[in-house]
Amino acid sequence: MQGVEVVKVDDFKYLGSTIQSNGQCRKEVKKRVQAGWSGWRQNHNVWHNASVYNKPFVESFEETPLLVAVLTYMGYGILTLFGYLRDFLRDWNFEKCHVAKERDEQKDFVPLYQDFENFYTRNLYMRIRDNWNRPICSVPGARMDVMERVTHDYNWTFKHTGTVLFDVINMGSYNYLGFAENSGLCANAAVEAAMKYGLGVCGTRHEIGNLDKHEELEKLVARFLGVESSMVFGMGFATNSMNIPTLAGKGCLILSDELNHASLVLGARLSGSTIRVFKHNNMQSLEKLLRDAIVHGQPRTHRPWKKILILVEGIYSMEGSIVRLPEVIALKKKYKAYLYLDEAHSIGALGPGGRGVVDYFGLDPCDVDIMMGTFTKSFGAAGGYIGGNKELIDYLRTHSHSAIYATSMSPPVAQQIITSMKCIMGEDGTTLGQERLCQLSKNTTYFRRRLQEMGFIIYGNNDSPVVPLMLYMPAKIGAFGREMLKRNIGTVVVGFPATPIIESRARFCVSAAHTKEMLDTALNAISEVGDLLQLKYSRHAWPSDEETNHFSYLDSHQD
Amino acid sequence: MIQTTKMASGQQWVLVEMVQAFYEAPAYHLILEGILILWIIRLLFSKTYKLQERSDLTEKEKEELIEEWQPEPLVPAVSNDHPSLNYDVVTGPPSHKITVNGKECINFASFNFLGLLDNERVKQKALASLKKYGVGTCGPRGFYGTFDVHLELEERLAKFMKTEEAIIYSYGFATIASAIPAYSKRGDIVFVDEAACFSIQKGLQASRSFIKYFKHNDMEDLERLLKEQELEDQKNPRKARVTRRFIVVEGLYMNTSDICPLPELVKLKYKYKVRIFLEESMSFGVLGEHGRGVTEHFGVSIDDIDLISANMENAVASIGGFCCGRSFVIDHQRLSGQGYCFSASLPPMLASAAIEALNIMEEDPEIFTILREKCKHAHKALQDIPGLKVVGEAFAPALHLQLEHSTGSRESDVRTLRSIIDYCLDRQIALTQARYLDKEERFLPPPSIRVVVTVEQTEEEIEKATSCIREAALARLE
């Protein structure tokens, strides 16, 4: 069996019909089907419920080649051994230790850190630390200016040279719709709001920090989402961590996807509910947990659960996968659970109207009990929202930790969201928003397609603007980030603990602000670096350029 | 050497004996032994007994159970006249003059202590930043969300506080709530004041450490707990060697407006080897000759405090928060502070606004003296109002007015206080009630009216406000 690849596809019927109606990629589908679907049947993650999807749902997670996996583990093994060696040398003062020291007066206190806690930081992360926290000094738009840093002590400290790397192509920021701008409609409106209201609020929503701007924004968000009511909060992370505890408590059960964001995990933990984790996007796993929970009740007492809350995200930012929302909703209805959908990455980035994953699948927003999302990404602002029916929002207005104890959103930030959201909705009287949405979807298709053709292993859904490219080996994390910056392209690389230990990856975020030229420049550079670092791991034969001419950028623009 | 060979030969001998015994044993014995061995193997390899599988429910019964189960509603219904359902609406900036529900008032409610909210210089600096960087950062600090202004602000804060390093968060509430669990883990012990604000409580909850509450500002009670712990440690010294311990206190308490006895705390710190985390949201930019907070107020060396955290949403009048201290302590948060790593960074214009606010504070330390004078004035003027008592230090910029005699029901107390606030609102004095989540607070403070003093308020305005409150109290409390 050649097809070790694990591709998750729901419903061949649809692959055969819907895509065919698209015409252009029929050949490609056939090719794929011939090439290696044999693997998908083995994939127990697939839960077929074709009737609930109205479009092909193609998500691929090609299996790690065995040799690569072995070599990756070896790499970590060697790094760990050297880590111990160097720690030993540092202990005996053979090597200069750069780690900040406890002050002498407190040497006899219980150590603030366990030694092993920082082993990873000291010996692995430190080697490639220059790939993160790169300071920039411009708008985080399609191109950005990165400040050059040098280190004379192997990444322990950095010095700014004063040189700026101008116009680096930005493949790292979550600027999906390109609203990170310092001029134009949004920025001008924000300037006006700052002039009128000032920057801060100096109060909570409950205590004279409830500006008319906030109310205006909340009404607009509700309209945008298609829900009865909404509430906005000053920080996206806190929207999760401070509101989940108001919705669930002792005696409630939270079912959480294993790859949920830290804020959801923290919120669930703070709520005091029982938490059970289901396999990533795996509906069988979710259903089993739901059934067991209802049948067996709470542990020990066997009392029935008060309520069951399912936590999922729209797009998973490290996998590039899209939640199987139609199936989740079917399950939620069947088992009378409540659904909390975090659209941090999907709002604005998915769906024909930019209304997120609900819009993408053409579902009714009322089927999702709690619609949560952030304004950081697609709207180029900051903060988060929760939308839902009036009872939910009324309860949050009176009981949300955030509304009572945290300062409300800065007025110019609120204004930025209002303007950009109106633009997406077309309420500014232009089609600019719609054009951005189209551009993003085309860019996504094109970028993913080209990377796959080049032979990289790309994770995630074909429609997701988050594009993870697998690097696997720890040394390649550093090398990839540096080589790309040399070619004037800023990328994000991630490794353990953000990913499983052997699945280190680079992640690109496609933006509507990227032009074809920028994407091509980036793609060429990625290909070059890919050859240099031998990253083209994919053993799957994607159609060659010639055969996919019909799928070229311009063609895909015509729909 | 000889001994080992002896031992080896001895063992060999035993083995030979065993084999011989095996030959000599009767057949029934061997069969019995064989069965026993098989039984053991069976026990070893048989499937473990799972509790859940013991229920002998049929599929049909399961379906019925699923059918029957009715969850509670997602949220309980909120009655339409809930006191905090309908917020007061502020049109325009919440600065010195504020328009609440359409009425222009003098602001005695926003924590804009230094009047920097609509400061022209701050605004201009922020606008310049907005025109350069746009509004959002579109990423966390790690992924191209670090801007030069963030680095500058961190440097400036460290310099202002005279510490080695500072780290900024994009949300005031998340600052201490992320900082505590970055250090204190499961099994560690935290001694915390009963009056600690809600964000500290959340941080403690997230840390999953043992929490020991001591009576508000009661050093004897704290020492009692520390001594108890010392005895505990002597019983189990191995565990004590790895159990970190912390004292978490606020500089000026949000909920009681009084100051923590820092010098005593520092003494206890060295005596019992406990680290001190200090929350200074109300005291940063308020106390001390240069506005550095409680450490400066008491003349305590800042190096004696392990971590200071504060938000930039009160005196600084921007958004966000910061922690500062020695690099040994602070740097750890760059990988372990959840609200730092996993959240988008602070919008650059807000960082620029904070930098300009620091500039103003550094250029004119006189501002802190003025604030203190105004606070003292207000504190004095608010004394002897019939039915109301002032809670808090004379130099605290946010005071609490509590009912002298509670009616016994929190609900009716809240309503009474609200009627006083409404009376004042009608006469152009904006006040608020201190709001809490009644069921979530560990120690719920009594209901109170918050009176915030800022440098922008004139003496006449303070007089006007206090006499207004007095009238209201006379009218509503009799």
Side-chain angles (χ1 to χ4, degrees):
Chain A
M1 179 143 48
Q2 202 185 26
V4 268
E5 192 206 8
V6 181
V7 178
K8 296 178 190 173
V9 171
D10 282 276
D11 190 14
F12 272 91
K13 207 167 57 199
Y14 283 92
L15 267 177
S17 62
T18 322
I19 296 194
Q20 263 178 24
S21 67
N22 206 349
Q24 295 158 341
C25 37
R26 188 194 306 144
K27 231 193 242 169
E28 182 258 335
V29 172
K30 257 192 211 157
K31 187 100 187 170
R32 276 204 203 180
V33 174
Q34 287 159 4
W37 279 152
S38 42
W40 76 272
R41 263 182 205 287
Q42 291 181 312
N43 178 13
H44 50 89
N45 281 0
V46 178
W47 191 68
H48 291 275
N49 189 351
S51 54
V52 290
Y53 288 96
N54 62 354
K55 62 171 74 180
F57 188 80
V58 187
E59 232 163 58
S60 84
F61 296 91
E62 191 173 329
E63 214 169 71
T64 311
L66 186 66
L67 181 67
V68 175
V70 170
L71 287 174
T72 308
Y73 277 121
M74 267 174 63
Y76 277 103
I78 293 167
L79 278 168
T80 312
L81 277 179
F82 267 88
Y84 281 120
L85 179 71
R86 296 186 64 178
D87 271 3
F88 175 79
L89 293 177
R90 284 185 197 119
D91 273 355
W92 290 88
N93 282 329
F94 289 119
E95 187 183 326
K96 193 175 168 235
C97 186
H98 298 272
V99 189
K101 288 267 168 54
E102 178 74 287
R103 47 199 288 254
D104 289 333
E105 292 94 323
Q106 292 183 222
K107 278 269 156 75
D108 52 346
F109 280 45
V110 176
L112 190 54
Y113 315 113
Q114 298 291 340
D115 202 42
F116 60 83
E117 273 182 61
N118 293 334
F119 180 87
Y120 185 85
T121 316
R122 208 165 43 228
N123 295 306
L124 280 82
Y125 171 69
M126 203 48 82
R127 291 169 180 265
I128 48 174
R129 188 161 87 117
D130 54 316
N131 290 293
W132 291 278
N133 300 307
R134 285 177 182 153
I136 70 172
C137 51
S138 69
V139 185
R143 287 179 184 276
M144 60 185 172
D145 302 340
V146 178
M147 293 162 77
E148 195 182 58
R149 307 184 287 184
V150 287
T151 173
H152 299 297
D153 49 8
Y154 303 100
N155 286 351
W156 285 94
T157 55
F158 292 104
K159 277 206 181 72
H160 294 281
T161 58
T163 322
V164 174
L165 309 171
F166 287 103
D167 293 332
V168 175
I169 295 178
N170 182 357
M171 300 301 299
S173 293
Y174 306 130
N175 178 25
Y176 300 122
L177 290 180
F179 279 111
E181 295 164 322
N182 58 2
S183 58
L185 223 56
C186 292
N188 291 345
V191 165
E192 246 166 66
M195 279 309 281
K196 184 177 169 202
Y197 290 91
L199 278 303
V201 187
C202 291
T204 66
R205 294 294 294 276
H206 277 217
E207 295 184 32
I208 301 237
N210 176 48
L211 304 183
D212 47 353
K213 266 280 163 264
H214 298 138
E215 305 237 322
E216 181 188 346
L217 174 60
E218 283 172 352
K219 285 195 187 99
L220 182 69
V221 171
R223 209 144 45 80
F224 179 69
L225 296 173
V227 293
E228 276 176 25
S229 192
S230 86
M231 186 161 183
V232 299
F233 306 93
M235 182 199 202
F237 184 97
T239 308
N240 281 333
S241 64
M242 294 168 84
N243 285 310
I244 296 175
T246 48
L247 302 173
K250 249 195 153 71
C252 300
L253 176 68
I254 289 181
L255 299 179
S256 169
D257 190 292
E258 62 180 341
L259 295 181
N260 272 347
H261 189 252
S263 55
L264 288 165
V265 176
L266 179 66
R269 203 187 282 167
L270 288 177
S271 74
S273 318
T274 306
I275 304 164
R276 289 183 188 155
V277 175
F278 60 92
K279 290 204 188 103
H280 174 55
N281 228 351
N282 182 330
M283 294 305 119
Q284 279 174 329
S285 171
L286 174 60
E287 181 163 23
K288 184 169 184 320
L289 286 181
L290 278 166
R291 278 186 82 86
D292 285 353
I294 299 174
V295 170
H296 297 292
Q298 300 187 31
R300 286 185 46 241
T301 61
H302 294 286
R303 279 201 194 108
W305 293 102
K306 285 184 182 160
K307 52 194 165 193
I308 301 178
L309 187 65
I310 303 172
L311 303 185
V312 290
E313 287 184 45
I315 293 181
Y316 288 85
S317 66
M318 285 295 161
E319 305 300 301
S321 50
I322 296 178
V323 64
R324 296 162 171 271
L325 193 63
E327 292 171 64
V328 177
I329 288 181
L331 283 180
K332 158 215 134 83
K333 282 186 176 159
K334 184 172 169 197
Y335 294 98
K336 291 175 269 204
Y338 299 106
L339 178 59
Y340 187 107
L341 174 66
D342 177 344
E343 298 221 61
H345 286 267
S346 51
I347 193 74
L350 277 186
R355 285 154 167 89
V357 65
V358 177
D359 191 20
Y360 173 76
F361 286 116
L363 300 166
D364 182 359
C366 297
D367 283 339
V368 180
D369 300 280
I370 304 128
M371 301 264 278
M372 180 269 165
T374 66
F375 300 123
T376 319
K377 283 105 189 174
S378 300
F379 303 95
Y385 65 80
I386 283 184
N389 61 24
K390 191 170 172 301
E391 290 84 61
L392 170 75
I393 302 304
D394 277 356
Y395 188 75
L396 285 181
R397 280 170 84 85
T398 48
H399 290 83
S400 164
H401 300 179
S402 196
I404 301 182
Y405 296 104
T407 305
S408 25
M409 184 185 274
S410 164
V413 174
Q415 185 59 54
Q416 161 86 12
I417 304 164
I418 292 174
T419 330
S420 55
M421 197 174 272
K422 280 191 175 160
C423 179
I424 298 171
M425 294 164 86
E427 287 189 5
D428 57 345
T430 67
T431 53
L432 289 173
Q434 203 53 47
E435 282 162 26
R436 283 179 199 241
L437 289 167
C438 283
Q439 189 68 40
L440 174 64
S441 132
K442 280 162 198 165
N443 284 354
T444 302
T445 317
Y446 177 68
F447 193 72
R448 277 188 164 266
R449 182 80 217 150
R450 284 285 311 270
L451 284 178
Q452 281 165 343
E453 282 168 9
M454 285 174 189
F456 292 105
I457 294 185
I458 301 297
Y459 270 13
N461 193 295
N462 275 6
D463 290 328
S464 133
V466 181
V467 188
L469 180 154
M470 302 312 287
L471 303 173
Y472 299 111
M473 294 171 206
K476 290 185 182 178
I477 303 175
F480 187 82
R482 288 173 201 149
E483 287 297 326
M484 289 304 284
L485 190 63
K486 260 189 220 163
R487 289 163 177 77
N488 231 29
I489 291 153
T491 57
V492 165
V493 283
V494 272
F496 183 79
T499 67
I501 189 126
I502 64 161
E503 291 183 18
S504 304
R505 61 197 69 174
R507 189 187 60 187
F508 309 104
C509 291
V510 180
S511 163
H514 290 136
T515 60
K516 164 102 162 61
E517 289 68 41
M518 286 182 204
L519 289 181
D520 280 337
T521 317
L523 283 163
N524 290 338
I526 295 166
S527 180
E528 210 179 295
V529 177
D531 286 330
L532 186 71
L533 303 177
Q534 300 182 359
L535 293 172
K536 298 180 176 172
Y537 295 117
S538 180
R539 290 179 286 173
H540 188 88
W542 294 97
S544 67
D545 276 357
E546 223 173 284
E547 282 169 276
T548 49
N549 265 347
H550 57 267
F551 206 77
S552 76
Y553 188 78
L554 281 176
D555 280 347
S556 68
H557 271 199
Q558 286 162 358
D559 48 298
Chain B
M1 190 66 177
I2 299 162
Q3 255 185 344
T4 46
T5 43
K6 242 188 201 169
M7 243 170 69
S9 65
Q11 273 168 1
Q12 230 168 23
W13 191 233
V14 172
L15 210 70
V16 172
E17 269 184 352
M18 270 172 71
V19 175
Q20 261 178 0
F22 187 75
Y23 278 120
E24 284 164 17
Y28 75 89
H29 189 93
L30 285 180
I31 291 166
L32 197 71
E33 296 258 329
I35 290 170
L36 281 175
I37 288 169
L38 284 177
W39 183 252
I40 289 170
I41 290 169
R42 202 204 117 135
L43 278 181
L44 279 177
F45 289 96
S46 69
K47 219 176 151 195
T48 41
Y49 212 42
K50 265 194 189 153
L51 198 67
Q52 284 198 346
E53 282 172 356
R54 228 169 57 190
S55 73
D56 302 306
L57 296 171
T58 61
E59 268 318 294
K60 189 163 164 274
E61 282 169 320
K62 283 186 184 174
E63 288 302 330
E64 275 170 13
L65 279 170
I66 289 167
E67 191 61 38
E68 276 166 27
W69 181 64
Q70 278 305 330
E72 283 180 9
L74 178 60
V75 290
V78 176
S79 71
N80 266 335
D81 58 342
H82 191 284
S84 49
L85 179 59
N86 299 305
Y87 300 160
D88 294 320
V89 182
V90 175
T91 26
S95 51
H96 177 49
K97 287 272 188 325
I98 183 171
T99 313
V100 187
N101 301 335
K103 264 183 263 117
E104 197 189 271
C105 303
I106 305 162
N107 194 346
F108 280 86
S110 305
F111 295 132
N112 180 21
F113 306 137
L114 301 179
L116 295 174
L117 186 75
D118 57 346
N119 184 294
E120 208 44 46
R121 271 177 65 185
V122 173
K123 271 189 193 172
Q124 286 310 327
K125 192 79 185 287
L127 287 186
S129 183
L130 202 164
K131 285 173 186 159
K132 184 173 177 201
Y133 303 103
V135 175
T137 58
C138 287
R141 287 289 294 266
F143 305 155
Y144 303 102
T146 301
F147 288 61
D148 47 356
V149 279
H150 292 139
L151 300 176
E152 188 187 342
L153 177 58
E154 285 177 344
E155 208 172 289
R156 287 294 304 278
L157 282 166
K159 209 177 108 205
F160 183 85
M161 292 297 282
K162 298 199 164 166
T163 54
E164 284 176 17
E165 193 166 340
I167 179 171
I168 51 173
Y169 283 79
S170 54
Y171 202 46
F173 189 96
T175 313
I176 189 74
S178 294
I180 294 174
Y183 303 98
S184 184
K185 311 277 181 197
R186 202 190 279 273
D188 295 336
I189 301 168
V190 188
F191 301 91
V192 58
D193 193 291
E194 278 182 358
C197 65
F198 198 70
S199 53
I200 292 181
Q201 294 173 36
K202 287 292 128 184
L204 294 172
Q205 201 188 336
S207 76
R208 300 192 273 186
S209 313
F210 288 115
I211 319 287
K212 301 199 169 177
Y213 285 95
F214 59 90
K215 290 206 188 81
H216 176 52
N217 270 352
D218 186 342
M219 290 303 105
E220 279 168 25
D221 196 39
L222 172 61
E223 188 154 15
R224 178 182 64 81
L225 289 174
L226 289 166
K227 273 198 180 127
E228 261 174 33
Q229 187 54 42
E230 206 176 36
L231 286 175
E232 197 75 14
D233 289 347
Q234 281 161 4
K235 276 188 218 153
N236 195 349
R238 275 184 91 185
K239 194 178 159 207
R241 267 202 301 272
V242 291
T243 309
R244 284 163 284 219
R245 47 221 72 200
F246 306 90
I247 298 174
V248 180
V249 287
E250 277 180 73
L252 266 180
Y253 283 89
M254 177 90 182
N255 294 352
T256 60
S257 298
D258 49 7
I259 194 165
C260 71
L262 199 60
E264 279 98 280
L265 281 163
V266 172
K267 265 181 224 152
L268 289 177
K269 163 186 167 159
Y270 287 107
K271 189 168 170 196
Y272 294 95
K273 308 200 189 320
V274 197
R275 295 170 198 274
I276 298 181
F277 286 2
L278 183 61
E279 219 295 323
E280 290 224 66
S281 289
M282 297 302 276
S283 48
F284 174 74
V286 173
L287 294 186
E289 201 186 332
H290 299 91
R292 287 189 199 113
V294 225
T295 45
E296 195 184 25
H297 176 84
F298 283 115
V300 169
S301 159
I302 204 149
D303 284 334
D304 286 332
I305 311 299
D306 293 85
L307 179 137
I308 290 178
S309 107
N311 71 28
M312 303 186 282
E313 296 164 354
N314 299 342
V316 179
S318 178
I319 300 281
F322 70 92
C323 288
C324 66
R326 278 164 285 125
S327 294
F328 173 72
V329 180
I330 299 302
D331 197 49
H332 183 65
Q333 284 177 57
R334 296 198 191 272
L335 286 175
S336 306
Q338 285 217 327
Y340 178 86
C341 299
F342 297 111
S343 160
S345 51
L346 183 68
M349 60 175 177
L350 296 170
S352 297
I355 294 173
E356 191 59 25
L358 285 180
N359 282 340
I360 294 170
M361 284 154 72
E362 276 177 0
E363 280 165 27
D364 181 24
E366 194 62 19
I367 194 169
F368 305 112
T369 322
I370 297 172
L371 179 63
R372 253 189 304 281
E373 288 311 313
K374 297 240 157 108
C375 291
K376 278 179 193 157
H377 181 82
H379 190 263
K380 204 169 150 212
L382 285 168
Q383 299 294 329
D384 302 325
I385 294 178
L388 289 176
K389 63 175 180 211
V390 187
V391 175
E393 301 280 353
F395 46 75
L399 295 163
H400 291 273
L401 286 177
Q402 288 173 4
L403 287 175
E404 225 158 36
H405 307 288
S406 164
T407 55
S409 135
R410 191 172 178 96
E411 220 171 286
S412 79
D413 285 359
V414 166
R415 232 176 293 123
T416 315
L417 291 176
R418 178 72 216 184
S419 72
I420 295 177
I421 290 169
D422 286 338
Y423 183 95
C424 295
L425 267 180
D426 287 338
R427 283 150 192 82
Q428 295 175 328
I429 302 293
L431 294 167
T432 68
Q433 248 183 92
R435 288 272 171 79
Y436 308 98
L437 273 173
D438 298 4
K439 293 197 182 100
E440 303 277 325
E441 286 277 354
R442 187 71 169 63
F443 299 96
L444 183 64
S448 63
I449 297 175
R450 221 193 278 280
V451 184
V452 180
V453 184
T454 72
V455 288
E456 287 176 307
Q457 292 155 2
T458 61
E459 283 190 13
E460 292 78 53
E461 281 165 345
I462 293 175
E463 285 302 332
K464 188 186 166 199
T466 47
S467 61
C468 192
I469 296 170
R470 194 178 300 269
E471 275 168 38
L474 281 172
R476 301 296 146 108
L477 291 176
E478 291 312 307

